[in-house]
Amino acid sequence: DLCVASICGTCGTCGTTFEMIMKFAVLLGYTVAALGMSMPIKDALPVRAQTFASLDRGDNDPVPHKAINDCSGPEPTKVIWTHDGHIDDLIAGIHLAKSPKYEIVGVVIGGTGEASSAHTGARNYLRVLEMLGLGHLADKHMVGVGPSIESFNQQFNQGEPADGGLECRFTDAWKEPGLHRDADLLGGVTNMLPFSEHSAYDLQKNVSDFEDAASAYEHGDPGGYDARAYAAHDYLSTSDEVFHESVKLGATTVLSTDTFTALYSFKKTYPKSFAKLTDLYYMGGSFDEAEANIRYDIPAANSVLSAPNLKIWTIDLDVTNMVAVDYRAVHSIAELASDSDATKELKIVSEMLTKLGKSPGQLQWGAWPTKDRPNDFALYHFDVVAAYAMVNKSAFTWEPKNVTVKMSSPLSASDGVYVEGGNKTWHVAKWTQDAADWMRYTHLPEFLNRKCISNQPPSFKELQQFYDCQKYGLGCVGHDN
């Protein structure tokens, strides 16, 4: 005020003019500095870097704009997606989010601990949802964490098969540290995800403790503290509530790339709501072995897959074993992702596959494919095929079979396989190798590059590049950064 008064004589007569002069001076200064460091101004940046324009918000627009997902077509089928937060779930989720046939209205991160802890998975996938233009789901409490297996399967045994256990080695981070690292870090690409205000908080299971503490804080009682700082539970619901509220919104279809623990819990907690579900697409199981998504909670799988209201669409190991991630699969994605106009989703998948090639967590399953060894592989597109089957149902033939999940009492190491018989008819997917090859070599790269998500916020990696450019003049020259 003193500065304005000394120049203009009175504060009220030229405050606006003075502000305009100062803003112009600041802008001129930035322009001169930018030219001095040979930095491009915003308008000179490539289309991909225009993301940073979202940082230029007006004084009356303090909240960052969210990405906009325009992928769904007219009258899409509302779907609930439940998954275990692993690397192939990332590709499956992107695929589902880009489908014109479906609209994701609820997301559940399974609490199995099979590959990653549910809460770590929730942190990652809250950010994934922001990138996909689905961050509003957390705002509406439509993202939830599932219960642990042990809470529903008292016979659960983490021992080795020789000791009568179920060989649940994925639940033990000390036995498979590489696998946990890959899942927890999404193969090393979490820096390519945007910020999510919800994932920035600690995720707490016991909500009542925090509610008590908040109440004590508000009343000035000793020992109380402001629980709002730890308010992730304000945004994350239980899996039961996400399923229940999704059904209220009209969801009748579920994509499961996880165990059936959360769905089993929903069935027990809200049986009338569960009965309104009509279609279940899932990846898992085999007639030859107890695949992980079935094996880690056999009672849940047996119960859900025998539910009379559900039409079961099964994508088992016979199908997914035809889509190994070989060199051609990796290269077809990388080649399209190298284009400057490629989508963020395609680029993050390409980067993830590149980094997994150096990860002990994946290399324990086999050698990673290279140009010299194109047929090597250490990964399959497991969960991706389930999402693909929803979008391209005609790529498969669906054989009706009466099937059940083998389950003894007490459970034994031979349980968890599919056996023919029982009263429930499933639709079991079959396809040709040509169809599988078209999916992994042609469809997947092109579909991940489908441009239907706009206004995406910058990732942590992009923000770092932007900072390095502005602060140190690094990485500014050229057309990539």
Side-chain angles (χ1 to χ4, degrees), residues 177-193:
L179 185 64
H180 274 260
R181 182 182 67 185
D182 288 339
D184 291 348
L185 300 179
L186 281 184
V189 294
T190 52
N191 67 324
M192 296 180 70
L193 296 173

Side-chain angles (χ1 to χ4, degrees), residues 383-441:
D383 297 339
V384 186
V385 183
Y388 174 71
M390 294 178 67
V391 177
N392 292 288
K393 213 169 177 179
S394 61
F396 304 83
T397 57
W398 300 90
E399 296 184 0
K401 286 186 178 182
N402 280 27
V403 186
T404 188
V405 177
K406 183 178 181 295
M407 186 176 74
S408 307
S409 184
L411 292 174
S412 69
S414 64
D415 288 340
V417 296
Y418 294 157
V419 292
E420 295 195 38
N423 300 320
K424 181 70 178 180
T425 300
W426 299 1
H427 302 273
V428 182
K430 301 292 180 183
W431 62 350
T432 65
Q433 188 61 58
D434 285 344
D437 289 346
W438 186 83
M439 175 264 183
R440 59 177 169 168
Y441 300 145

Side-chain angles (χ1 to χ4, degrees), residues 58-294:
D59 295 336
N60 297 321
D61 187 18
V63 180
H65 297 297
K66 287 186 176 292
I68 301 170
N69 186 311
D70 289 319
C71 302
S72 296
E75 299 183 0
T77 299
K78 294 180 179 180
V79 62
I80 311 161
W81 175 38
T82 172
H83 64 95
D84 59 19
H86 211 334
I87 52 179
D88 49 346
D89 293 289
L90 174 64
I91 310 176
I94 294 172
H95 196 286
L96 183 62
K98 284 176 170 277
S99 169
K101 296 181 180 180
Y102 295 97
E103 176 192 359
I104 301 175
V105 297
V107 177
V108 169
I109 298 93
T112 63
E114 182 260 307
S116 176
S117 72
H119 283 177
T120 300
R123 285 189 179 95
N124 289 337
Y125 276 85
L126 285 168
R127 294 171 60 192
V128 170
L129 293 175
E130 291 287 348
M131 177 183 69
L132 296 177
L134 300 174
H136 62 276
L137 294 178
D139 298 335
K140 297 178 179 179
H141 309 279
M142 297 305 291
V143 180
V145 173
S148 63
I149 290 174
E150 291 86 339
S151 63
F152 287 92
N153 180 4
Q154 298 305 317
Q155 302 179 81
F156 184 72
N157 185 342
Q158 294 189 29
E160 301 296 333
D163 303 321
L166 301 181
E167 195 189 8
C168 295
R169 57 183 176 177
F170 291 145
T171 63
D172 190 340
W174 292 103
K175 291 183 180 180
E176 302 289 349
L179 185 64
H180 274 260
R181 182 182 67 185
D182 288 339
D184 291 348
L185 300 179
L186 281 184
V189 294
T190 52
N191 67 324
M192 296 180 70
L193 296 173
F195 172 75
S196 167
E197 61 177 313
H198 308 320
S199 69
Y201 299 102
D202 287 336
L203 307 183
Q204 301 294 335
K205 292 181 179 180
N206 193 341
V207 176
S208 61
D209 290 347
F210 284 88
E211 290 175 343
D212 292 343
S215 177
Y217 175 83
E218 290 174 0
H219 291 87
D221 297 338
Y225 54 91
D226 190 356
R228 290 173 298 179
Y230 304 91
H233 62 262
D234 287 344
Y235 305 103
L236 287 169
S237 302
T238 65
S239 56
D240 290 339
E241 296 305 319
V242 170
F243 281 121
H244 186 50
E245 293 301 318
S246 297
V247 170
K248 287 183 180 179
L249 293 173
T252 58
T253 301
V254 175
L255 170 63
S256 176
T257 54
D258 187 16
T259 68
F260 291 103
T261 305
L263 267 171
Y264 180 45
S265 173
F266 174 49
K267 182 183 178 184
K268 291 169 67 73
T269 306
Y270 293 108
K272 291 183 179 179
S273 184
F274 178 88
K276 294 180 181 179
L277 295 176
T278 60
D279 291 85
L280 170 63
Y281 294 81
Y282 76 97
M283 181 273 140
S286 170
F287 288 90
D288 301 318
E289 61 181 281
E291 184 272 334
N293 283 346
I294 304 297

